[in-house]
Amino acid sequence: MLITNIGELTTNVGPSTGSGTQTHEDGTLHDAAVLIEDGLISWVGPSASSGAQGGSGAQSTPAADEIVDAGGRAVIPGFVDSHSHIVFGGDRAAEFEARMAGQKYAAGGIRSTVAATRRASDGELRARVRGFLDEMLAQGTTTVEIKSGYGLDVETEQRLVRLAAEVTDEVTYLGAHVVPAEYANRSDAYVDLVIGEMLDACALHAKWIDVFCETGAFSVAQSRRVLQAGIGRGLKPRVHASQLGPGEGVQLAIELGAASVDHGTYLTDDDVAALAASDTVLTLLPGVEFSTRQPYPDARRLIDAGVTVAIACDTNPGSSFTSSMPFCIALAVRDMGMTPGEAIWAATAGGAAALQRSDIGVIAPGARADLVLLDAPTRVHLAYRPGVPLVQRVWKDGASVWRKG
Amino acid sequence: MLITNIGELTTNVGPSTGSGTQTHEDGTLHDAAVLIEDGLISWVGPSASSGAQGGSGAQSTPAADEIVDAGGRAVIPGFVDSHSHIVFGGDRAAEFEARMAGQKYAAGGIRSTVAATRRASDGELRARVRGFLDEMLAQGTTTVEIKSGYGLDVETEQRLVRLAAEVTDEVTYLGAHVVPAEYANRSDAYVDLVIGEMLDACALHAKWIDVFCETGAFSVAQSRRVLQAGIGRGLKPRVHASQLGPGEGVQLAIELGAASVDHGTYLTDDDVAALAASDTVLTLLPGVEFSTRQPYPDARRLIDAGVTVAIACDTNPGSSFTSSMPFCIALAVRDMGMTPGEAIWAATAGGAAALQRSDIGVIAPGARADLVLLDAPTRVHLAYRPGVPLVQRVWKDGASVWRKG
């Protein structure tokens, strides 16, 4: 299949011709075409003005069985959402409403989601996850990482990683999300469970090990135990850190070679310098700051220092119930100091880097054919037209999986 | 047609059972049904547990030819977007990008849109408007006000009101949008044109007269001349005021009995008191503050003072290119101090009040059957899940005009 007449193609490969990202090359092509074969991208080049040209020479458009005319609109790589918590029961709409009204909300918080998740059947959770995935696809997200962490007991955590593994390769075991009520004031005993019986039950279904390293959740020493135990079982580390205040989680993540440290709302200059000198990605989650009225981290400071930055939604019923990568891009541009080009790089190639993947997040020969056609002439419109559903069509592994209308 | 099994129905009529609006009753019903006949709502009441009941008694669900099962989800009135500028040529994506980067942008501003609009054919403008209307319908907007104001010459202003009148009853003549380049330093002469030959050409196609009463646009004296001339021709007044700084536009609007004064970013205590004592609606346009990084006006202050508040998108290529009422609701809750119930009232019944319409913005017998089914159990989700396209299905005048997927 050939997608032709692409007005603006963001490849994330090669030099930029736009006014986009400073530190990452976004490889913008105009009047471009993309050839897809067997679920992979096989050729990227200029769009032919007529379909009559054959496949001779690197610069002429190859022939194809099926031709899709992009109508001069923009095409970008499918979004890579590298941080989500979409296997859970219930919602917390009343808690959100109280928070927005500046009121205290006594009931439950995360514990109410844990209770609802433990109660939910596999079938209920599966239907919920598939609903979120459909919603994400319709918004251009073709790869989603999914964390456990609303079970917090051996049986439920195993159910959550198993259900996640039914729909994505990017499964994260987050038994160390918070200390459950049963272990109040016995957090070390809960960590023993997380790295013992619970890890035994979950490791087979997961690729990643994650921990919420923050005052009120797990200490640096506890976080180190969790991550090292996971690494010992072949899981790769990633870390929630510096969401609510500065801490040592970022340094721990770098020390253990984590693929990504997520949140980073409160980073010290030392944190930023260490991130810039490392291979660890800093994943920004602007939906959290939007829905909790926390201050936004300064992406400009990170990018200018040379940190690799990703954007993800952190879809969860407490702090960020958006699943919209375009919405998060608009926030990153308005409130975090990113250019539209940088934000879209962070939501595609950046997310791929945060998952240590080179087969997604780019439009280049050999990459998976995960592409999004926008109902707009440029990618800038994703920030310029906030809230508007601009995703016109989505391909995943070369298959047309969603189209508008 | 009967829509049944509605988990939460926002009628905007009668007492509220929710934790919604303080000053306006939102009339929330649970487990409700709505009967539609000949494009109008004919009955609102409790949902029957079975479809077997006949039409006897006010409390039992009437019979219907077609039954739509809402599946326990929320239904709200169609959004009434009482402020848009969607008849124009070109876009200003590069200007937006420069503004977000904190850079000066030399080229054009509104003048570039005027030039592109004058150049565009009727066919081009018509296709553009219909595209925006489709996009708005898919986001739940069933009534749209459309302004002229990118022509600024007699011929083009007339084309714009004529094209707008093809698609909406709510057409606003805004020849006094800004002073065009040809009249630089001759603004009184331009006002003569606006209230003379241009008004002659436009009055027949419009319902409303509007003026941008602001330093840098039109003075209070000029605005008064414009509005009074329009009123003399049978047009009804509405005013853009206090967007960029405090001014006398609000007082002028109230004095002339304007249906609405729009923006209101900088209101004095006297403005607020005068609005509260008047029938003039204050229409908030949160997309403008989002896309220009201006401070948000405080809706809480207005509502607590007794002002009737509407929310609209102000869709335009310069200061607010969103067309998403759900996005504007999310901003109003996060950044303007409204509850979700108040924001949704403002985006439905409030917009109707700003257009002096009683046949829309409510779900009640006799009203037009403009309804939105959300893919969510409550209306709160419109703010709780920002950016997510939650509109599942839309009816306008009883006809199913959009559905997801």
Side-chain angles (χ1 to χ4, degrees), chain A residues 91-367:
Chain A
D91 72 42
R92 280 147 60 194
E95 175 186 320
F96 169 81
E97 197 170 5
R99 183 169 70 239
M100 287 296 111
Q103 294 159 2
K104 283 254 183 186
Y105 188 76
I110 196 171
R111 288 182 182 178
S112 71
T113 297
V114 171
T117 304
R118 289 176 179 175
R119 276 197 306 271
S121 70
D122 279 11
E124 287 164 349
L125 293 173
R126 190 179 281 127
R128 201 79 186 277
V129 167
R130 291 188 189 275
F132 287 125
L133 291 176
D134 286 348
E135 186 182 278
M136 289 167 160
L137 259 190
Q139 297 174 90
T141 300
T142 48
T143 303
V144 186
E145 181 260 20
I146 304 176
K147 301 179 196 296
S148 71
Y150 290 120
L152 308 185
D153 61 29
V154 172
E155 180 203 338
T156 316
E157 283 295 310
Q158 194 201 36
R159 288 172 63 210
L160 301 188
V161 289
R162 182 168 48 73
L163 290 165
E166 290 179 3
V167 295
T168 186
D169 297 330
E170 304 295 343
V171 176
T172 298
Y173 164 50
L174 179 60
H177 193 187
V178 291
V179 178
E182 308 91 273
Y183 285 86
N185 304 317
R186 296 191 296 134
S187 62
D188 281 329
Y190 182 64
V191 171
D192 290 341
L193 178 70
V194 166
I195 67 177
E197 190 186 350
M198 196 184 282
L199 178 61
D200 290 341
C202 294
L204 196 67
H205 304 283
K207 172 178 171 182
W208 303 98
I209 178 95
D210 195 349
V211 59
F212 188 19
C213 179
E214 191 95 31
T215 304
F218 296 92
S219 70
V220 176
Q222 291 172 330
S223 298
R224 184 189 300 275
R225 286 181 69 207
V226 169
L227 295 171
Q228 285 182 329
I231 292 166
R233 294 292 288 265
L235 301 180
K236 301 185 355 171
R238 49 200 316 110
V239 182
H240 284 64
S242 298
Q243 176 184 355
L244 306 174
E248 295 167 65
V250 174
Q251 303 287 345
L252 176 68
I254 294 168
E255 176 198 326
L256 297 181
S260 177
V261 56
D262 295 30
H263 287 291
T265 309
Y266 295 90
L267 295 176
T268 66
D269 289 345
D270 284 349
D271 289 340
V272 174
L275 284 164
S278 77
D279 291 330
T280 299
V281 174
L282 193 287
T283 300
L284 297 169
L285 308 168
V288 175
E289 282 81 27
F290 186 87
S291 289
T292 61
R293 296 202 188 107
Q294 292 289 304
Y296 288 96
D298 182 356
R300 185 81 266 127
R301 171 193 183 205
L302 296 169
I303 293 171
D304 289 348
V307 176
T308 300
V309 171
I311 293 173
C313 286
D314 194 6
T315 311
N316 79 83
S319 58
S320 177
F321 205 7
T322 189
S323 60
S324 173
M325 292 293 275
F327 175 70
C328 291
I329 287 166
L331 294 180
V333 170
R334 189 210 193 249
D335 291 315
M336 291 180 162
M338 298 178 91
T339 68
E342 288 167 345
I344 290 154
W345 190 95
T348 54
L355 296 173
Q356 297 182 334
R357 294 274 296 266
S358 58
D359 59 333
I360 54 177
V362 295
I363 296 179

Side-chain angles (χ1 to χ4, degrees), chain B residues 141-326:
Chain B
T141 300
T142 47
T143 302
V144 186
E145 180 259 22
I146 304 176
K147 301 177 195 296
S148 71
Y150 290 120
L152 309 185
D153 62 30
V154 173
E155 182 203 337
T156 315
E157 284 295 310
Q158 194 202 33
R159 288 172 63 209
L160 302 187
V161 290
R162 184 167 47 72
L163 289 165
E166 291 179 3
V167 296
T168 186
D169 296 330
E170 303 296 343
V171 177
T172 299
Y173 164 50
L174 178 60
H177 192 187
V178 292
V179 177
E182 309 90 273
Y183 285 85
N185 304 317
R186 296 191 296 133
S187 61
D188 280 330
Y190 182 64
V191 170
D192 291 342
L193 180 69
V194 166
I195 66 176
E197 189 186 350
M198 196 184 283
L199 178 60
D200 290 341
C202 293
L204 194 67
H205 305 282
K207 171 177 172 184
W208 303 97
I209 178 93
D210 196 350
V211 59
F212 188 18
C213 179
E214 191 93 33
T215 304
F218 298 92
S219 70
V220 176
Q222 290 172 330
S223 298
R224 185 188 301 274
R225 287 181 68 207
V226 169
L227 295 171
Q228 285 182 330
I231 292 166
R233 293 292 288 268
L235 302 180
K236 302 188 345 175
R238 49 201 314 110
V239 183
H240 284 64
S242 298
Q243 176 184 355
L244 306 174
E248 296 167 66
V250 174
Q251 303 286 345
L252 175 68
I254 294 167
E255 176 198 324
L256 296 180
S260 177
V261 56
D262 295 29
H263 286 291
T265 310
Y266 296 90
L267 295 177
T268 66
D269 289 345
D270 284 350
D271 290 339
V272 174
L275 284 165
S278 78
D279 291 330
T280 299
V281 174
L282 192 290
T283 301
L284 297 169
L285 308 167
V288 176
E289 282 81 28
F290 186 87
S291 290
T292 61
R293 296 203 187 107
Q294 292 289 304
Y296 289 96
D298 183 356
R300 185 82 266 128
R301 170 194 184 204
L302 296 169
I303 293 171
D304 289 347
V307 177
T308 299
V309 171
I311 292 174
C313 286
D314 194 6
T315 311
N316 79 83
S319 58
S320 177
F321 205 7
T322 190
S323 60
S324 173
M325 292 293 274

